[in-house]
Amino acid sequence: MGFLTAHHTDLGIKKNTNQDALLLKTAKTPKGSVALFIVCDGMGGLSHGELASATVIRGMAEWFDVEMPRLSQSEYIEEEIYAEITKCINQLNEKILHYGETSKVKLGTTLTALLIFHNKYFIAHIGDSRAYSISNSLHQLTQDQTLVAREVARGNITEEQAKVDPRRNVLLQCVGATKEIEVDFSTGDVQVNTVFMLCSDGFYHQITEEELALNLSPETIKSEQELKDKVVELVELVKARKEVDNISVVAAKVL
């Protein structure tokens, strides 16, 4: 198993700093290839959101480098991945929270991480960044942890109302803001000729699932340059539609 990968992040049309942060790491093990892809969307005044997202990216990158060689040899890989990722995220949460308390600032970040290990994927998710898979059809693999998403699930508002609700950016949790966090985990099988895409909320508010499925169809992407071109094209489309947030995308086609 191999990967074609691409990423793109953009300041957007309004903000002065980019508080998003990305990670793309791949490695080979005796049992096959592994990969870790992450999107974080930081929040906080001045550079604090940028600090929060960068802290998570650095911590998760180090976790991948240190722990994956050992985990790849484990007979209980699935259980250990959940335990080890949860431990890492909780440590990063405590680190950011401690910084915020001692500096008297509020900061935090979303975290959407996709780990591909042989023929399985594992997703760790906090906040409202998203992960999708695109093959014959498009599937959203994460659930937004926002106030409006909860209201939609409870039947209090419709999907259409949620799109324009002024509370749509209010998160139920993020990394670094509270002492207790609950990581939302999911897993599934990895099929060859599938595109996985992770993005910050600045990307998906101004684009349709039909546009994502059409432009990121694995059948039309034959090289990393083609994947990169598609990602950049979609980000520019979002900017043309006047999205004011930072915009970030990570994409990987499984070969």
Side-chain angles (χ1 to χ4, degrees):
M1 182 181 294
F3 309 96
L4 301 177
T5 63
H7 68 280
H8 189 56
T9 185
D10 196 286
L11 186 65
I13 64 173
K14 185 176 180 180
K15 295 199 171 182
N16 296 319
T17 59
N18 190 343
Q19 298 187 331
D20 291 353
L22 314 176
L23 179 69
L24 298 86
K25 290 185 75 72
T26 60
K28 293 187 180 298
T29 76
K31 295 182 181 180
S33 297
V34 296
L36 179 63
F37 307 110
I38 300 178
V39 168
C40 290
D41 179 358
M43 59 215 72
L46 301 176
S47 62
H48 296 127
E50 190 176 355
L51 174 64
S53 60
T55 298
V56 169
I57 291 296
R58 284 195 301 269
M60 292 296 292
E62 181 179 350
W63 174 86
F64 183 84
D65 292 340
V66 172
E67 296 297 335
M68 280 312 299
R70 178 185 63 82
L71 287 173
S72 66
Q73 304 299 318
S74 173
E75 296 180 8
Y76 308 99
I77 180 68
E78 187 164 336
E79 294 87 347
E80 287 205 51
I81 281 177
Y82 289 140
E84 292 293 334
I85 289 181
T86 298
K87 179 181 176 181
C88 179
I89 294 173
N90 281 325
Q91 289 173 342
L92 293 168
N93 183 67
E94 291 175 7
K95 183 176 182 179
I96 297 168
L97 183 63
H98 177 71
Y99 173 85
E101 289 174 345
T102 56
S103 303
K104 294 182 172 53
V105 296
K106 290 185 177 181
L107 72 167
T109 182
T110 69
L111 165 65
T112 299
L114 170 72
L115 176 68
I116 297 178
F117 187 87
H118 305 156
N119 296 318
K120 299 282 289 186
Y121 72 78
F122 304 87
I123 293 175
H125 173 67
I126 295 176
D128 67 346
S129 297
R130 287 182 180 175
Y132 293 88
S133 67
I134 303 118
S135 51
N136 295 327
S137 57
L138 179 142
H139 298 280
Q140 184 178 328
L141 303 175
T142 53
Q143 296 296 320
D144 298 341
Q145 296 176 351
T146 61
L147 179 62
V148 294
R150 187 175 66 183
E151 290 301 290
V152 170
R154 291 176 174 176
N156 294 330
I157 61 175
T158 66
E159 290 279 3
E160 291 304 312
Q161 288 172 326
K163 291 177 182 179
V164 296
D165 194 299
R167 305 168 298 170
R168 72 178 188 179
N169 293 323
V170 178
L171 298 179
L172 298 179
Q173 64 171 354
C174 64
V175 182
T178 57
K179 187 173 183 179
E180 300 294 331
I181 57 174
E182 184 174 346
V183 184
D184 185 11
F185 278 108
S186 57
T187 187
D189 295 327
V190 174
Q191 304 295 332
V192 172
N193 208 35
T194 298
V195 171
F196 288 96
M197 190 271 287
L198 281 63
C199 62
S200 59
D201 69 320
F203 179 71
Y204 63 73
H205 284 315
Q206 299 295 338
I207 202 161
T208 67
E209 290 192 346
E210 290 76 16
E211 289 171 322
L212 292 178
L214 177 64
N215 284 277
L216 295 176
S217 169
E219 298 300 331
T220 65
I221 296 168
K222 307 301 182 183
S223 69
E224 286 196 334
Q225 188 59 53
E226 288 180 344
L227 185 56
K228 173 73 172 182
D229 290 344
K230 283 294 185 182
V231 167
V232 172
E233 180 182 326
L234 290 171
V235 170
E236 290 302 313
L237 176 62
V238 169
K239 288 169 64 179
R241 292 174 177 172
K242 307 303 180 185
E243 173 59 54
V244 298
D245 205 350
N246 303 145
I247 308 164
S248 296
V249 179
V250 170
K253 179 182 176 180
V254 181
L255 302 176

